[in-house]
Amino acid sequence: MRGSLFKSLLALVCAGSLCAPLSAAEATKSAEGALEVFTLNNELTRWAGQGLRDAQGRVVVPVDTVELIRLPGGGWLSRAGLGGELLDARGKRIAGPFEYVEPPEPSLDVMLIGTEGSPLLSGKGGLVREDGRVVAEPAYAELDALEGTGLFSFQRARRTGAMNAQGRIVLEPLNDSVKAVASLLAVTRRGQSALFDRSGKALTQFRDGVDYQALEGSPWIRECIRPVGEDVVDEPRCRVLDETSKPALPGEFAQIDYLPEAQRWVAIPYGKAKGGDESAPRYANRTVLLLDKTGRRVAELQARSIRQTQAARLVVTVATSDGADEREGLADRDGRWLVKPDYDRIETLPIAFAERDGNKAPPQFSTLRWVEGIRSHAGVVDADGRVILPMAERQVIAHYPSLALYIVKLGDKTGVIDSDGRWRIQAKHSGTAPNSDLPAPYVMFSDTDYSGQGEDRDRYTLYDLRSGKPVFAHEYQYLDPQDSYWPMGLKAPWPEFVVVDAQRGGKHGVIDMEGKVVVPFEYYNIDSPDRWGRVTVYRDENDENGRQVDGLSPQKAARLREMISRQIREQQAPVSSVHAPYAGRYVPADYTDAAQVQAAAQRGALSRPVAPMILVDASTAILDLGMIRDRKGPELDYLEYYCERDNGFDILMPGADVSDKACVDPEAPRLILQAASEQAWTCSTCKDYGLPERWRRTDPAPNPNLP
């Protein structure tokens, strides 16, 4: 166990203001009014924690690296990883901790618990009520919620049964399978299937060839009975059933599906085969019905099939008159043609990767017609069928909604056109580069030139889509603009801080987005930048370790580090807890207020009036020590792990093994921080690196008085 120093969690800041902790006496009293969740975030370390506070802002459950879920009855589920515990409405633990716990369905006050991991894998499962009472001990294999039914399936001796939320078995484990279909159960036993209600009562008889399916967006069930026998040519006979297993729609169908976005049923009427012939030719049009939610006929089309696409539009496939081919068109939810069925394919036009996340632009559709097998004509229409790009000899690959631009392929060459069909970037490139997932307005193309020299010569070109012109004047064999070194949440203009790994004349170097050379073109290879914009360069293939240099110009590197340094001080720090006992913000004891920092800068101990700082979460340590003028240690670093000890932790220094082996190596260079009290820390090796020996762990709140 860790020292008693960390047995109590911190009471913390929320929403930028100080939350006063409860005293020991207050913590035992009922909180006035409902509790609420408050969250602390630190985007630099990707740390987030939640706690509970009362109506007066007093912390009832301190922040920890867990998720808090409000339960229907007013209590809470506190989760950490797969496990967790139950809290009552006052934040007091009433059950657990459990090795595995799963949040309940909204309609239940019972949830699944497990031992030895998930019951669906190798563990055993049981049920616990929201009030903490265990209604089924965790002894059931493959216990799983049957969504929408309030029941749980389980296995015993490889046979499946079901229990209710009170732990009472409603279906004995005698079945091949039990699955939820809407609010009912589809039960298979010895190869036959039947419907059961939630009390375990059979609603239909067990029959061969029966399949029950829930329908997305509808509370009803599709029942299809397949014909049984070797020579039977009848189609399946399908019905739509309600929650009591009674017919919800009149009639029987060979096929029926529900389209939730369009709120339409698509159905092919059932026709029994006569005289050994099939009920309908396999490759001919058939009568396809569009029905509203209640089953009222909206439209009747002669088609092969209908599928739903975006904006509640329907792609309708129609067989040609000779039955040898098929065409596609676009219709609205009432079966009215928006685009006549005259195309080999109609599909949603992909949005370029750079604009895909969160894009709410109305969908557009590409219309494609094959010509002579390998060539194609393509156009673009909007959701109402209006032509945006008329048909022309090309393929349309993707579009940029914000710029009204389209990546197209003409023959075997790729370029960019605008919505008027004018070339923004001529189709002269082999394709987009493999690493071209860049934010708009940038796109990168690559080419391979088979020059007859015996070697392939690759070329990369980065374009600004706004002008259609290359960003760089020089030609490069390879380009890789990278911003992956940014810590989460760092806000900075994309072009300004991008490190561009480039290759020219067979050698690698680094340029910025203005084309200025930052690292000269004299290296065999260059690694991706770290979180501070530094890259590792290698002289030749025998250079195993390389050396680290700045991938940004001195001015940009300074601005980037200043932004990160400011963010370390402005964000709420990660919080000390039983899961992360050493998390927090550490400042030298002599620099805990603005006056001390200013005085140190005036006398030359600090190169700039900013407090040195170490930021620690459950696994990461960030060093920001560059302002200490006489230090011998690193200026800054971003470590993915540190070494936990019983009463403190070690931060590995340059020269240590970059693995957990260094934590057990007594010779590995390190900063050794040990707790003298809850907030006071000493560093026994800091003097060796020119760093202060006494440190304080500061409150997680940003200190507005500390520069």
Side-chain angles (χ1 to χ4, degrees):
M1 294 293 293
R2 305 187 190 280
S4 60
L5 179 61
F6 302 109
K7 287 185 179 178
S8 60
L9 306 180
L10 294 178
L12 308 165
V13 183
C14 41
S17 61
L18 192 63
C19 290
L22 293 176
S23 68
E26 289 175 321
T28 62
K29 296 180 180 179
S30 300
E32 296 180 18
L35 302 182
E36 65 175 1
V37 176
F38 65 93
T39 302
L40 300 182
N41 287 298
N42 189 284
E43 294 171 332
L44 279 170
T45 63
R46 307 183 189 184
W47 176 92
Q50 293 186 330
L52 291 175
R53 62 184 177 187
D54 64 15
Q56 285 72 45
R58 298 174 300 179
V59 174
V60 177
V61 176
V63 170
D64 203 350
T65 51
V66 298
E67 176 187 16
L68 284 159
I69 301 170
R70 190 189 298 272
L71 299 175
W76 301 88
L77 169 60
S78 172
R79 300 186 81 198
L82 294 177
E85 56 192 22
L86 297 182
L87 313 177
D88 65 14
R90 300 181 180 90
K92 179 182 178 182
R93 189 176 77 183
I94 55 175
F98 303 108
E99 295 177 43
Y100 178 92
V101 60
E102 191 172 292
E105 292 186 33
S107 60
L108 298 175
D109 68 345
V110 67
M111 61 206 80
L112 193 151
I113 55 175
T115 59
E116 302 174 14
S118 167
L120 290 180
L121 300 176
S122 58
K124 301 289 186 181
L127 301 175
V128 62
R129 286 174 50 89
E130 181 182 338
D131 60 13
R133 183 166 62 89
V134 174
V135 295
E137 293 293 339
Y140 295 90
E142 299 199 21
L143 185 67
D144 191 20
L146 295 167
E147 185 177 357
T149 68
L151 303 177
F152 297 81
S153 63
F154 66 92
Q155 278 200 1
R156 183 183 296 159
R158 299 187 179 180
R159 310 301 291 170
T160 304
M163 71 172 64
N164 62 19
Q166 289 73 46
R168 183 175 65 84
I169 293 176
V170 297
L171 276 178
E172 293 292 338
L174 305 171
N175 311 291
D176 303 334
S177 67
V178 177
K179 69 176 184 178
V181 284
S183 60
L184 302 180
L185 302 177
V187 179
T188 303
R189 188 179 298 170
R190 294 186 293 276
Q192 296 183 319
S193 299
L195 273 182
F196 282 70
D197 67 13
R198 286 172 287 187
S199 67
K201 177 185 175 182
L203 301 176
T204 65
Q205 294 181 341
F206 280 98
R207 292 173 291 177
D208 290 318
V210 183
D211 181 59
Y212 296 102
Q213 292 290 334
L215 297 160
E216 181 186 357
S218 171
W220 296 339
I221 299 165
R222 182 178 61 206
E223 174 196 71
C224 287
I225 303 175
R226 300 183 305 276
V228 178
E230 295 182 1
D231 300 324
V232 176
V233 294
D234 281 345
E235 295 178 302
R237 196 170 72 250
C238 300
R239 300 185 301 166
V240 177
L241 308 179
D242 65 15
E243 298 92 330
T244 67
S245 78
K246 299 295 189 297
L249 297 179
E252 294 182 331
F253 309 94
Q255 297 176 29
I256 185 162
D257 288 287
Y258 187 66
L259 309 180
E261 187 173 349
Q263 296 187 337
R264 291 289 183 263
W265 296 92
V266 175
I268 296 177
Y270 174 75
K272 186 174 178 61
K274 297 179 181 180
D277 296 328
E278 296 185 11
S279 58
R282 290 184 182 276
Y283 301 105
N285 290 323
R286 307 184 61 177
T287 298
V288 182
L289 305 178
L290 281 178
L291 313 175
D292 68 12
K293 289 194 296 184
T294 65
R296 183 180 62 87
R297 183 177 299 194
V298 175
E300 179 180 311
L301 300 171
Q302 296 299 310
R304 286 281 317 283
S305 64
I306 296 177
R307 71 179 188 271
Q308 181 174 265
T309 186
Q310 290 189 12
R313 298 304 188 248
L314 308 176
V315 176
V316 183
T317 302
V318 176
T320 56
S321 57
D322 58 6
D325 209 344
E326 57 185 34
R327 295 287 184 265
E328 291 188 346
L330 192 69
D332 66 12
R333 62 197 292 264
D334 294 326
R336 292 185 292 262
W337 289 109
L338 303 172
V339 176
K340 291 292 185 181
D342 192 30
Y343 300 97
D344 289 294
R345 190 171 70 222
I346 292 182
E347 57 186 12
T348 304
L349 184 62
I351 294 174
F353 184 88
E355 297 196 336
R356 197 169 298 166
D357 290 344
N359 195 289
K360 297 181 180 179
Q364 296 180 5
F365 302 92
S366 62
T367 53
L368 182 69
R369 190 179 294 129
W370 294 110
V371 181
E372 298 176 359
I374 57 173
R375 294 164 50 227
S376 64
H377 286 183
V380 175
V381 299
D382 67 12
D384 294 320
R386 290 186 292 264
V387 174
I388 298 173
L389 290 178
M391 298 294 292
E393 186 176 342
R394 63 191 169 206
Q395 295 179 49
V396 185
I397 309 301
H399 75 125
Y400 290 87
S402 69
L403 301 169
L405 296 176
Y406 300 83
I407 298 177
V408 299
K409 196 161 189 175
L410 184 60
D412 60 352
K413 296 297 183 180
T414 305
V416 176
I417 62 175
D418 63 20
S419 56
D420 293 321
R422 296 179 300 229
W423 289 103
R424 182 68 57 90
I425 300 173
Q426 290 293 327
K428 59 182 181 179
H429 300 286
S430 300
T432 54
N435 55 341
S436 64
D437 295 336
L438 306 177
Y442 300 99
V443 66
M444 191 155 55
F445 290 97
S446 62
D447 297 279
T448 301
D449 178 18
Y450 298 95
S451 60
Q453 302 289 328
E455 294 182 357
D456 296 346
R457 181 173 180 269
D458 294 329
R459 297 192 309 278
Y460 280 57
T461 308
L462 179 66
Y463 284 95
D464 187 324
L465 287 165
R466 294 166 296 190
S467 66
K469 298 184 180 302
V471 175
F472 305 124
H474 291 283
E475 227 178 41
Y476 293 97
Q477 293 162 278
Y478 176 77
L479 287 171
D480 192 7
Q482 300 181 50
D483 62 354
S484 59
Y485 61 86
W486 286 5
M488 291 289 288
L490 182 63
K491 309 301 182 194
W494 187 84
E496 183 175 359
F497 294 98
V498 169
V499 172
V500 184
D501 178 5
Q503 187 181 18
R504 190 173 67 200
K507 293 291 187 179
H508 283 265
V510 170
I511 57 178
D512 62 19
M513 288 291 284
E514 298 171 346
K516 297 176 182 176
V517 176
V518 180
V519 177
F521 286 84
E522 56 187 47
Y523 296 100
Y524 168 74
N525 201 5
I526 294 179
D527 269 352
S528 299
D530 66 9
R531 287 174 171 83
W532 307 96
R534 300 172 300 196
V535 298
T536 302
V537 296
Y538 301 88
R539 284 288 179 187
D540 52 48
E541 59 185 358
N542 298 316
D543 186 356
E544 296 182 357
N545 298 321
R547 67 185 183 91
Q548 202 170 58
V549 299
D550 271 326
L552 297 168
S553 67
Q555 297 81 7
K556 290 180 180 178
R559 283 203 301 275
L560 175 69
R561 292 166 188 173
E562 194 276 331
M563 282 191 296
I564 298 176
S565 181
R566 185 169 61 249
Q567 194 165 352
I568 290 173
R569 288 152 179 78
E570 291 177 351
Q571 285 192 358
Q572 295 161 329
V575 178
S576 170
S577 71
V578 293
H579 301 288
Y582 307 119
R585 186 189 287 112
Y586 295 79
V587 180
D590 293 336
Y591 302 132
T592 54
D593 62 52
Q596 292 174 313
V597 172
Q598 293 289 348
Q602 290 174 2
R603 68 174 182 269
L606 299 178
S607 61
R608 53 194 174 98
V610 178
M613 203 163 286
I614 299 174
L615 187 66
V616 177
D617 75 351
S619 61
T620 304
I622 300 178
L623 309 184
D624 187 16
L625 309 173
M627 66 292 296
I628 300 177
R629 189 176 294 279
D630 295 328
R631 63 179 163 72
K632 303 169 188 174
E635 177 182 358
L636 42 81
D637 211 344
Y638 194 114
L639 305 169
E640 295 291 352
Y641 66 92
Y642 55 87
C643 310
E644 291 192 17
R645 306 299 182 197
D646 286 341
N647 197 37
F649 59 99
D650 301 351
I651 297 178
L652 299 173
M653 291 289 98
D657 193 330
V658 289
S659 72
D660 53 3
K661 294 179 181 178
C663 286
V664 296
D665 178 6
E667 302 300 321
R670 67 190 71 209
L671 303 180
I672 301 176
L673 283 92
Q674 293 181 303
S677 67
E678 179 70 29
Q679 304 300 336
W681 294 72
T682 59
C683 177
S684 59
T685 56
C686 279
K687 187 176 182 180
D688 300 337
Y689 296 94
L691 300 176
E693 297 180 58
R694 295 186 305 114
W695 294 74
R696 290 192 62 80
R697 181 163 60 181
T698 64
D699 191 281
N703 183 348
N705 299 316
L706 190 63

